[in-house]
Amino acid sequence: MDYIESPKGTLIRLLLEGVGFTHPAKAVAELSGAQATVKPEGSPHSVADILAHMNFWQDFTLSAIAGEPKSVPAKAALGWPAVSENDWDALVEVFTKGLEQALRYAEDEALLTRPLSPSKKIGFGFEKNTVGSALTEIIAFHNAHHSGQIILLRRMLDAWPPEGGGMTW
């Protein structure tokens, strides 16, 4: 049996598509802005709201890796930017490009062991992370968590799976 032999290999697999979840880019594929902004009954968020939140934390992490760390927002609501139907295509593009950048960082084994933000306190203890642990926790796990929410909302909207496929069980 072949095993994933390194943290780098595990991280790349998590960013691309784990065994137990659909790739986050597939979770938002083939959805219109009108569909993405609907809040199904009982849901506090729309798919677009959740993607904007994912983009917020993805950008937060990628900025820190690039040496431009931002401070954790003073309250959780600031990590949930307001969006409209017209924002959808741009949200998806920003998300996809962020995933591509995260994957490029994940492929650099030396970078993965570097401290995320050695000289600036950014909050919640994030500065204690390495680049690799930040990519794993803040991007891969956070995206997988919220992608599951997006898929559930899409099921509630009768918009799952997309034609390109996605897990249905």
Side-chain angles (χ1 to χ4, degrees):
M1 173 181 264
D2 292 330
Y3 293 96
I4 298 171
E5 297 181 12
S6 70
K8 173 186 163 186
T10 301
L11 176 57
I12 290 171
R13 188 168 180 210
L14 284 171
L15 289 168
L16 290 175
E17 184 168 12
V19 171
F21 64 90
T22 298
H23 188 288
K26 282 186 184 177
V28 298
E30 302 169 29
L31 198 61
S32 71
Q35 291 171 306
T37 53
V38 171
K39 290 182 186 176
E41 187 175 334
S43 175
H45 303 294
S46 68
V47 169
D49 292 335
I50 294 171
L51 187 60
H53 171 75
M54 292 165 72
N55 280 349
F56 179 90
W57 287 105
Q58 189 166 264
D59 176 66
F60 175 92
T61 306
L62 295 174
S63 294
I65 294 169
E68 301 167 0
K70 301 173 182 179
S71 295
V72 170
K75 51 187 173 179
L78 297 175
W80 289 89
V83 293
S84 73
E85 181 178 326
N86 295 330
D87 298 324
W88 179 246
D89 290 337
L91 284 171
V92 172
E93 183 177 348
V94 166
F95 182 66
T96 303
K97 286 183 178 181
L99 284 176
E100 291 168 359
Q101 182 61 51
L103 186 57
R104 284 191 292 276
Y105 285 146
E107 290 172 340
D108 183 341
E109 210 153 345
L111 179 64
L112 295 177
T113 60
R114 190 194 84 199
L116 178 63
S117 181
S119 62
K120 183 178 179 196
K121 183 169 172 50
I122 54 180
F124 287 160
F126 285 132
E127 62 275 0
K128 295 178 184 177
N129 285 47
T130 62
V131 168
S133 66
L135 286 169
T136 302
E137 292 177 31
I138 308 169
I139 295 186
F141 289 163
H142 187 253
N143 284 352
H145 167 78
H146 286 298
S147 293
Q149 293 174 326
I150 287 172
I151 292 166
L152 177 61
L153 291 176
R154 288 189 66 164
R155 284 179 162 212
M156 293 171 75
L157 296 169
D158 199 28
W160 187 258
E163 287 184 29
M167 289 189 168
T168 58
W169 46 287

